[in-house]
Amino acid sequence: MSDPADDSDASFRTVADPGEASFEVRGSEFIGYVAPANTVEEAESFVETIRSRHLDATHNVPAYRVPAGADSSGGGTNADTGPTPPNTGVMLREYQSDDGEPSGSAGKPALNVLVQRDVRNVAAVVTRYYGGTNLGVGGLARAYSRAVNDAVDDAGVIQTVPHERFDVTVGYDDSGTVRGLLESADVEFDATYEADVSFSVRAPVAAASELRDRIRSATSGRADIDQ
C-alpha cells in the first residue's frame, strides 16, 4: 500500500466547469450554482460572489468539499474535516450551512449530493427566493438537493489529477526555450511579456518537480521559479 504522501497522481472526480440550474417549487425560485474550487479560500470566494449577486435573496445556502491543507484555512461555522476518500490520501474539508432555513433542511442535503456523486474540489451555492408558501423540511431538502444535482449535471463531471501552480520568470533570450518545454510537457500556462517574460504554469503535481528541474537545467539556472 502506498503512503498517502506519494498519492499525488491519484485521480479524482470533480466538475468540469461552472454550472447553473434553476426551477420553481410552489412559488419559490431555486437557483443552484457549482464551480471548481481547489482550496477553502477559493470555495469561500465563490460563495461570496454568489451572495453578492443575490443580496436580495431569502437564502444563499453554501456547501463545498475541498482539500484541507496548510493553504486552506478558515471555513466558518459548521466547517468539518471529512474522511479521507479511498485511494487519494487527501483529507477533505466539508462545509455546509442552512443560512436561516430550518436545521438540516438545506445545507446538509446540498453537501450530500456532492458526497453521493463523489465529486470534490467543488463549491456549491443554492439561492432561494421565497414564494410565500412554506415547503416543510422534506420539501426543502428535496429542492436543495435537486438544485445542486442539476447544477452538477450542467457543469459536467470529469476525472482529473491534483495540479499545482508555479511561476517562471526569465529574460527574453530564454523565453523561447521555456515556452518550448512547457508546450512539450502539455501543461497549461499563460505568458506575460514585460521587462522580463513571466510564465504562470499549472501542472500535475506528479510532474511539476521534474518540469521545474528541466527548466532550471535548460536555462543554466537563470530561471527564477516561484512556487
Side-chain angles (χ1 to χ4, degrees), residues 56-222:
D56 58 339
T58 315
H59 306 280
N60 286 293
V61 171
Y64 56 72
R65 301 182 79 216
V66 298
D71 61 344
S72 294
S73 59
T77 59
N78 296 339
D80 178 53
T81 301
T84 303
N87 303 320
T88 66
V90 175
M91 290 293 292
L92 295 180
R93 184 179 297 275
E94 297 181 338
Y95 172 91
Q96 56 83 15
S97 170
D98 292 313
D99 192 41
E101 292 281 32
S103 179
S105 69
K108 187 174 181 179
L111 178 60
N112 282 346
V113 171
L114 304 181
V115 174
Q116 291 165 4
R117 297 197 60 168
D118 191 26
V119 290
R120 68 173 178 90
N121 291 48
V122 57
V125 182
V126 180
T127 296
R128 181 192 182 192
Y129 287 91
Y130 182 62
T133 301
N134 293 334
L135 303 182
V137 172
L140 289 171
R142 287 188 293 273
Y144 280 101
S145 296
R146 175 186 169 187
V148 175
N149 194 60
D150 289 357
V152 171
D153 284 343
D154 182 61
V157 175
I158 58 171
Q159 195 86 13
T160 188
V161 295
H163 283 67
E164 65 177 81
R165 296 182 183 275
F166 61 90
D167 296 321
V168 181
T169 303
V170 293
Y172 277 78
D173 288 345
D174 289 317
S175 62
T177 299
V178 173
R179 175 179 281 274
L181 284 172
L182 296 176
E183 289 176 345
S184 66
D186 195 25
V187 296
E188 300 174 33
F189 68 91
D190 291 316
T192 302
Y193 292 83
E194 296 179 339
D196 291 312
V197 182
S198 297
F199 297 90
S200 178
V201 184
R202 180 177 181 268
V205 171
S209 180
E210 180 183 353
L211 179 57
R212 287 191 290 267
D213 287 343
R214 290 173 60 196
I215 292 171
R216 293 187 184 99
S217 177
T219 61
S220 299
R222 289 184 295 274

